[in-house]
Amino acid sequence: GPSLSKYLDRDFDDGHCIVVNSMVANTPMLDRLKPFAICACDPIFHAGCSRYAEEFRTALVDAMQRHDCYLFVPTRDYVQYDELLSGPLKEKIIPVPIVSDAPINIDLGDKLYFKSAENVLTLAVLPICSTIARTIGVVGCDGRPLFEDEYYWKHDRSVQFNDMMENVKQVHPSFFDLSYNDYYLEHCKAVESYVDVIEAAGRRVEVVSPSYIP
């Protein structure tokens, strides 16, 4: 979200940073965060056939080489990244099955699966964080006011391949043919469900930057 760049003026060495999606476009930001893992779970923007996805994968390789970090992907997309990466980076890929009819999983060390979800935060990030940490800080998940329904939400332009957005819309038009408010409200409910499960297990989820998501 747009708040991301405004809330990074701190030392992140007291924890482990997980970055997501097109954050790999911003090299100075990643150098500051020193991520131990990257999550890329979208079949359109990440594993897809558009020029946007190609730009993403090029930046992903650079980010993994610079930071020697892990890559969490759905098993669905594993072959794509196995072909993309070479040498020791192949060993950094962690493919995780996505299971629809399953409980929310907050301990990947016990059972390795993601419960099916529509957003990388609930699909992958919160499960990974709750597996390795007692306190989880969330930065840049801004959400949006309901009346701003022309898209999913706004993005920090420093972590998007902005000149490729029209390309991905041309290649995958039906991906953008939906009610953005319905998607957003379902996402808010999903976040609530995950936070409830995580905090009931004795962990804490803290919002580091402002968010419209309750």
Side-chain angles (χ1 to χ4, degrees):
S3 73
L4 179 63
S5 295
K6 303 173 186 176
Y7 285 85
L8 298 182
D9 187 20
R10 52 157 287 182
D11 182 355
F12 287 89
D13 288 339
D14 60 342
H16 301 288
C17 286
I18 299 176
V19 301
V20 302
N21 302 348
S22 299
M23 287 178 71
V24 296
N26 191 324
T27 299
M29 181 181 290
L30 264 60
D31 287 347
R32 180 174 181 80
L33 295 173
K34 302 190 260 315
F36 103 94
I38 299 169
C39 291
C41 301
D42 194 288
I44 302 299
F45 286 95
H46 306 143
C49 58
S50 67
R51 288 173 57 206
Y52 187 108
E54 181 183 24
E55 288 281 326
F56 165 79
R57 291 192 292 268
T58 299
L60 173 68
V61 173
D62 180 66
M64 292 184 68
Q65 289 172 337
R66 289 173 68 89
H67 299 286
D68 191 32
C69 53
Y70 292 96
L71 173 65
F72 284 86
V73 299
T75 51
R76 174 198 64 212
D77 303 331
Y78 171 72
V79 173
Q80 173 78 282
Y81 295 103
D82 186 54
E83 288 291 321
L84 174 72
L85 299 168
S86 59
L89 291 183
K90 283 183 180 288
E91 301 303 316
K92 295 289 186 176
I93 309 171
I94 302 178
V96 182
I98 297 176
V99 181
S100 297
D101 187 17
I104 291 172
N105 185 12
I106 62 169
D107 187 355
L108 302 179
D110 180 37
K111 294 180 180 179
L112 185 64
Y113 74 86
F114 293 143
K115 177 175 172 58
S116 180
E118 297 294 327
N119 182 270
V120 69
L121 176 68
T122 46
L123 176 69
V125 176
L126 289 178
I128 296 168
C129 288
S130 60
T131 298
I132 65 170
R134 304 292 295 181
T135 302
I136 301 164
V138 181
V139 186
C141 293
D142 296 14
R144 61 168 172 78
L146 275 176
F147 64 84
E148 293 181 0
D149 60 351
E150 67 276 5
Y151 193 55
Y152 294 96
W153 34 59
K154 293 180 180 178
H155 292 88
D156 183 327
R157 290 184 62 81
S158 75
V159 292
Q160 282 287 103
F161 300 101
N162 299 289
D163 57 341
M164 294 294 167
M165 281 301 296
E166 287 306 312
N167 167 254
V168 76
K169 289 178 180 179
Q170 291 171 0
V171 175
H172 302 283
S174 63
F175 182 78
F176 302 90
D177 184 20
L178 78 167
S179 167
Y180 294 122
N181 268 348
D182 287 349
Y183 172 91
Y184 179 61
L185 291 172
E186 285 299 316
H187 175 60
C188 290
K189 287 169 57 180
V191 171
E192 181 179 17
S193 297
Y194 275 77
V195 171
D196 284 348
V197 171
I198 290 168
E199 296 199 329
R203 297 159 178 80
R204 178 169 174 78
V205 181
E206 299 177 348
V207 182
V208 179
S209 58
S211 180
Y212 289 97
I213 298 171

